[in-house]
């Protein structure tokens, strides 16, 4: 059964990747051939970034289908929070306010950056969907040192803790 699921996932991911390639190609054509205002260029850039994230998601689906590992590395927390805020600013519409707070001295996380970014975005979008009348979503990051007493089963050491809260 797992082999069948892997083959199905791989086939869907491959087809979806082809669609994303067409989207990215169209965005590149627009970028080269159309004169855009600063606001329009910002929207184009965010759309391109979202399509590139889709490509990374497809890569993870294919990795899962092939049982490969993801790419964990150093993730700058403040940059990640700013990117998520910029990507979601237009997605939330006018009814949901997004607050993002990360301390200027936030540590770097060790994670697959694309996966962490998508996880935060999915949590915010789920919160938005749970608040049809509007509300507020807050993303925060903080540094936390875990000592000898294990917290959540984690070994001692420095961690970055992300929180997503909403008023819904």
């Amino acid at each position: 059964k797992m082999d069948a699921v892997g083959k199905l996932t791989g086939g869907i991911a491959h087809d979806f990747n082809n669609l994303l390639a067409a989207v990215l190609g169209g965005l590149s054509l627009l970028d080269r051939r159309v004169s855009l205002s600063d606001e329009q260029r910002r929207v184009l850039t965010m759309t391109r970034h979202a399509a590139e994230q889709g490509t990374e998601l497809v890569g993870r689906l294919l990795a899962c289908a092939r049982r490969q590992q993801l790419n964990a590395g150093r993730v700058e927390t403040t940059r990640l929070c700013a990117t998520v805020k910029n990507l979601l600013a237009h997605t939330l519409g006018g009814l949901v306010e997004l607050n993002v707070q990360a301390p200027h001295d936030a540590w770097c996380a060790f994670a697959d950056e694309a996966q962490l970014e998508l996880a935060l975005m999915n949590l915010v979008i789920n919160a938005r969907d749970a608040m049809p009348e509007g509300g507020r979503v807050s993303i925060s990051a903080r540094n936390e040192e875990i000592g000898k007493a294990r917290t959540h089963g984690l070994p001692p050491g420095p961690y970055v803790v992300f929180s997503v809260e909403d008023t819904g």
Side-chain angles (χ1 to χ4, degrees), residues 8-121:
L8 177 64
T9 301
I12 292 170
H14 177 73
D15 290 344
F16 193 65
N17 203 38
N18 290 339
L19 294 171
L20 286 170
V23 169
L24 287 167
L27 291 172
S28 291
L29 281 174
L30 283 173
D31 193 23
R32 288 192 310 262
R33 295 183 180 178
V34 177
S35 177
L36 301 172
S37 69
D38 288 343
E39 175 66 17
Q40 291 168 329
R41 181 151 313 282
R42 200 175 97 219
V43 170
L44 180 75
T45 300
M46 288 187 311
T47 305
R48 178 182 291 122
H49 183 76
E52 288 167 348
Q53 279 186 309
T55 301
E56 290 173 7
L57 174 60
V58 167
R60 286 198 301 283
L61 286 171
L62 290 169
C64 178
R66 295 183 206 119
R67 294 180 178 87
Q68 293 176 352
Q69 291 193 340
L70 302 175
N71 297 321
R74 184 181 165 115
V75 179
E76 292 182 33
T77 301
T78 52
R79 186 178 52 78
L80 173 73
C81 287
T83 299
V84 169
K85 183 176 183 176
N86 287 336
L87 286 171
L88 291 172
H90 294 289
T91 306
L92 297 178
L95 294 176
V96 176
E97 175 188 346
L98 177 63
N99 296 319
V100 179
Q101 294 183 323
H104 68 285
D105 62 344
W107 298 333
C108 290
F110 183 75
D112 182 301
E113 185 169 2
Q115 184 179 15
L116 181 55
E117 186 177 298
L118 282 173
L120 289 171
M121 289 177 56

